[in-house]
């Protein structure tokens, strides 16, 4: 007996991007969304952080565009994401443990404003996204790196809420437990100003991005809101 093929709902492969300021919940939301869809998750901030570690170790200052260009050109940078988050290797040496120190966080904000660094990572990010089925998180994903992404989210939240979240995160790390909420708030404000005010690829929402203000939302609510948009998108492109 010939079994009739079942009508199967297939979702076309999507490239999904999330942009937004620090502490808006992008990392966790992107990771969960990618897991839900069985997509790859790419934390582009980790790549910028890796370059900041390399610049510090090589003694290249954030203002030294020529030095940064030379550093990036000869660099082999690799990243994978596992359950613990993004892991990064620079020229074969793992730098994951250093990516999120307050020192590297501030240095990354400065280094990521430099055109040499952005140019170097542009091609790498586009190559990583060429097969779609990926969720990319960053600051300029929807505007510069993937202006043709299938679905763009812009996650935001009030400064106080974002600083509270980051402060709570640091409480889990013995090295930074004594940072006060005021310090974290000040640093975040500084980073917001750097990321949004820079000349090259500033943090900005793409005109076609879906805005989600996470200030009063639980993670589950954020994820459900994103999945609803993914389904809408898939519905528009559904095939049998
Ligand atoms: O997302 P994050 O906090 O790990 O990002 C670290 C820094 O890198 C942040 O100051 C902004 C910058 N960044 C960027 O300029 N462009 C990206 N696509 C991702 C991060």
């Amino acid at each position: 007996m010939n079994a009739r093929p079942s009508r199967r709902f297939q979702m076309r492969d999507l490239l999904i991007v999330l942009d937004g300021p620090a502490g808006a919940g992008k990392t966790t939301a992107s990771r969960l969304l990618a897991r839900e869809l069985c997509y790859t998750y790419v934390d582009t901030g980790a790549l910028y952080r890796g370059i900041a570690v390399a610049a510090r170790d090589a003694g290249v200052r954030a203002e030294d565009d020529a030095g940064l260009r030379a550093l990036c050109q000869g660099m082999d940078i690799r990243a994978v994401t596992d359950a613990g988050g993004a892991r990064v290797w620079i020229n074969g040496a793992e730098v994951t443990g250093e990516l999120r120190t307050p020192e590297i966080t501030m240095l990354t904000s400065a280094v990521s404003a430099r055109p040499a660094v952005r140019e170097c990572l542009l091609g790498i990010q586009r190559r990583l996204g060429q097969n779609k089925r990926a969720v990319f998180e960053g600051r300029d994903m929807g505007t510069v790196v993937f202006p043709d992404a299938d679905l763009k989210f812009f996650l935001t939240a009030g400064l106080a809420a974002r600083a509270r979240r980051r402060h709570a995160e640091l409480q889990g790390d013995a090295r930074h437990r004594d940072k006060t909420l005021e310090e974290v708030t000040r640093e975040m404000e500084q980073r917001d100003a750097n990321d949004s005010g820079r000349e090259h690829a500033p943090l900005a929402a793409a005109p076609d991005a879906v805005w989600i203000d996470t200030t009063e939302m639980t993670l589950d609510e954020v994820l459900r809101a994103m999945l609803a948009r993914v389904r809408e998108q898939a519905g528009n492109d559904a095939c049998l």
Side-chain angles (χ1 to χ4, degrees), residues 53 57 76 78 88-96 98:
V53 173
D57 292 351
D76 173 30
R78 283 165 206 271
V88 174
W89 287 260
I90 302 282
N91 298 328
E94 183 164 12
V95 296
T96 307
E98 302 188 62

Side-chain angles (χ1 to χ4, degrees), residues 15 40 42 44 47 79 122-132 134 136 146:
L15 180 68
T40 304
V42 183
T44 62
L47 299 173
L122 186 62
I124 293 175
Q125 294 169 98
R126 286 188 175 154
R127 269 195 302 282
L128 289 171
Q130 67 195 0
N131 293 329
K132 301 205 177 200
F136 277 76
F146 299 115

Side-chain angles (χ1 to χ4, degrees), residues 15-230:
L15 180 68
I16 302 174
V17 299
L18 269 84
D19 289 307
K26 298 186 304 294
T27 302
T28 317
S30 316
R31 224 151 78 191
L32 290 178
L33 181 63
R35 198 173 68 186
E36 197 71 27
L37 299 172
C38 290
Y39 275 19
T40 304
Y41 158 58
V42 183
D43 172 1
T44 62
L47 299 173
Y48 284 97
R49 287 171 182 271
I51 290 184
V53 173
R56 183 204 58 192
D57 292 351
V60 176
R61 286 177 311 112
E63 303 75 37
D64 178 3
D65 245 330
L68 287 171
R69 194 174 295 280
L71 183 78
C72 289
Q73 273 167 358
M75 182 186 292
D76 173 30
I77 181 162
R78 283 165 206 271
V80 298
T81 307
D82 63 20
R87 297 175 65 186
V88 174
W89 287 260
I90 302 282
N91 298 328
E94 183 164 12
V95 296
T96 307
E98 302 188 62
L99 296 181
R100 300 196 181 273
T101 65
E103 177 210 1
I104 290 300
T105 296
M106 287 315 279
L107 184 60
T108 308
S109 189
V111 161
S112 64
R114 312 308 299 186
V117 173
R118 303 211 74 84
E119 279 163 29
C120 153
L121 284 183
L122 186 62
I124 293 175
Q125 294 169 98
R126 286 188 175 154
R127 269 195 302 282
L128 289 171
Q130 67 195 0
N131 293 329
K132 301 205 177 200
R133 299 185 58 81
V135 178
F136 277 76
E137 174 212 338
R139 300 293 190 286
D140 61 341
M141 297 295 101
T143 49
V144 175
V145 182
F146 299 115
D148 298 327
D150 299 291
L151 189 51
K152 303 176 183 177
F153 291 106
F154 191 82
L155 259 61
T156 184
L159 175 66
R162 293 188 289 116
R164 254 196 329 272
R165 290 172 189 167
R166 188 49 49 93
H167 182 250
E169 239 171 62
L170 290 175
Q171 294 303 294
D173 184 337
R175 290 172 301 175
H176 311 301
R177 203 165 283 154
D178 50 354
K179 261 201 182 276
T180 65
L181 179 59
E182 288 68 34
E183 283 171 322
V184 175
T185 308
R186 255 198 321 275
E187 285 176 8
M188 196 164 260
E189 223 168 358
Q190 178 64 53
R191 272 222 289 161
D192 283 354
N194 289 353
D195 295 346
S196 307
R198 69 184 177 214
E199 190 184 341
H200 301 280
L203 164 66
D208 50 346
V210 175
W211 281 66
I212 301 181
D213 184 336
T214 68
T215 311
E216 304 284 339
M217 291 172 86
T218 64
L219 190 55
D220 194 48
E221 287 168 336
V222 174
L223 183 63
R224 273 192 281 133
M226 290 195 301
L227 281 170
R229 297 310 290 242
V230 171

